[in-house]
């Protein structure tokens, strides 16, 4: 199948490699551009663990760890929202890792069940400027303090680039992969700009039902992964292709 990938550039390239291995033809059209912020990390002595809700957060923190305390940061208990974030954290050298099931609710449960209650300090949520879910509120129910540290910004695309528009007009794509609710809203807005020139609409392959609802409301056909992680998305694409 011809697959349009809308993830940020680094994540899109990794996903494209996996889809190419399945025999799909991929075109990258990132809807979000990841840029670092100037935020400073909190004092290490105030941190009892790290919460990662995206691989972008992992990479943003790793880019900050160029000082003498880098090894101590990487040794902290770290909680990853799902498999992709877990893999990114492991690759970045975070060794004390726990993996959740792909959503912020399961991440909060993993933290609450694994945290060392004898430690002082806060869980530091390494975040972007736009968040899905409220980890701070979920952990407040377990009396676990959370400090949000915004280390990156995800800037929305204002239009599809010229190669993407040409590909859509010339042959179209059987499917588009959407991984977040924010990306779904951006995709709907950008498609409205060029929809009249397209031969057909791609089927939107969505990582969660909440994402699918946004696309369905805008008139797109959707398929939803069985679980909110990339392996389930790849299985869905492969089954659809067959």
């Amino acid at each position: 199948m011809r697959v349009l990938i809308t993830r940020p550039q680094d994540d899109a390239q990794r996903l494209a490699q996996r889809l190419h291995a399945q025999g799909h033809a991929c075109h990258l059209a990132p809807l979000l551009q990841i840029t670092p912020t100037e935020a400073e990390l909190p004092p290490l002595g105030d941190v009892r663990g790290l919460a990662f809700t995206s691989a972008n957060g992992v990479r943003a923190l790793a880019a900050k760890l160029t000082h003498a305390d880098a090894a101590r940061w990487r040794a902290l208990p770290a909680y990853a929202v799902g498999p992709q974030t877990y893999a990114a954290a492991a690759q970045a050298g975070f060794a004390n890792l726990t993996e959740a099931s792909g959503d912020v609710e399961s991440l909060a449960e993993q933290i609450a069940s694994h945290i060392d209650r004898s430690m002082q300090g806060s869980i530091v949520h390494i975040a972007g400027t736009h968040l899905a879910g409220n980890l701070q509120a979920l952990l407040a129910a377990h009396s676990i303090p959370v400090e949000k540290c915004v280390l990156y910004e995800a800037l929305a695309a204002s239009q599809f680039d010229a190669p993407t528009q040409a590909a859509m007009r010339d042959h179209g794509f059987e499917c588009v992969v959407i991984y977040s609710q924010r990306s779904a809203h951006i995709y709907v807005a950008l498609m409205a700009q060029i929809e009249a020139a397209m031969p057909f609409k791609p089927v939107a392959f969505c990582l969660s039902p909440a994402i699918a609802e946004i696309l369905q409301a805008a008139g797109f056909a959707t398929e939803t992964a069985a679980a909110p992680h990339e392996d389930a998305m790849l299985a869905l694409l492969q089954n659809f292709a067959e």
Side-chain angles (χ1 to χ4, degrees):
M1 288 194 302
R2 294 187 299 273
V3 182
L4 183 66
I5 301 177
T6 62
R7 303 208 70 196
Q9 188 68 27
D10 287 347
D11 294 317
Q13 290 175 338
R14 291 178 177 85
L15 178 57
Q17 289 176 351
R18 299 189 70 185
L19 289 173
H20 280 308
Q22 288 186 342
H24 302 294
C26 299
H27 181 97
L28 276 57
L31 299 181
L32 296 167
Q33 178 183 346
I34 306 301
T35 59
T37 69
E38 298 298 322
E40 296 294 328
L41 297 175
L44 185 57
D46 296 339
V47 182
R48 68 196 291 192
L50 303 168
F52 293 118
T53 46
S54 73
N56 291 314
V58 173
R59 291 189 282 266
L61 177 57
K64 291 272 191 184
L65 299 183
T66 58
H67 48 71
D69 286 334
R72 292 175 60 198
W73 279 93
R74 288 188 169 92
L76 287 167
Y79 306 90
V81 69
Q84 289 74 243
T85 304
Y86 181 95
Q91 185 175 13
F94 295 92
N96 190 2
L97 285 168
T98 301
E99 179 183 331
S101 301
D103 54 64
V104 71
E105 290 79 13
S106 67
L107 178 62
E109 291 300 323
Q110 286 292 324
I111 293 171
S113 61
H114 286 83
I115 196 167
D116 183 351
R117 301 281 177 170
S118 67
M119 292 180 66
Q120 299 298 311
S122 300
I123 293 292
V124 174
H125 178 194
I126 305 299
T129 49
H130 292 81
L131 296 176
N134 191 335
L135 183 64
Q136 188 171 21
L138 291 168
L139 287 178
H142 297 278
S143 301
I144 299 172
V146 175
E147 179 178 352
K148 184 171 66 175
C149 187
V150 178
L151 294 188
Y152 69 94
E153 183 175 8
L155 302 174
S158 59
Q159 62 181 13
F160 289 118
D161 61 22
T164 300
Q165 292 189 43
M168 286 181 168
R169 289 193 305 268
D170 293 346
H171 55 68
F173 298 93
E174 281 87 2
C175 65
V176 58
V177 178
I178 308 286
Y179 268 57
S180 73
Q181 294 180 53
R182 187 175 178 220
S183 292
H185 286 296
I186 297 167
Y187 177 76
V188 168
L190 299 193
M191 285 292 286
Q193 299 174 9
I194 64 170
E195 193 172 341
M198 294 179 59
F200 55 88
K201 291 182 181 180
V203 177
F205 281 70
C206 305
L207 198 65
S208 72
I211 297 168
E213 288 175 5
I214 296 167
L215 276 301
Q216 290 163 5
F220 292 90
T222 65
E223 297 284 341
T224 304
H229 56 70
E230 192 161 282
D231 286 346
M233 177 65 81
L234 266 68
L236 178 66
L237 282 160
Q238 195 63 16
N239 290 337
F240 188 84
E242 294 172 354

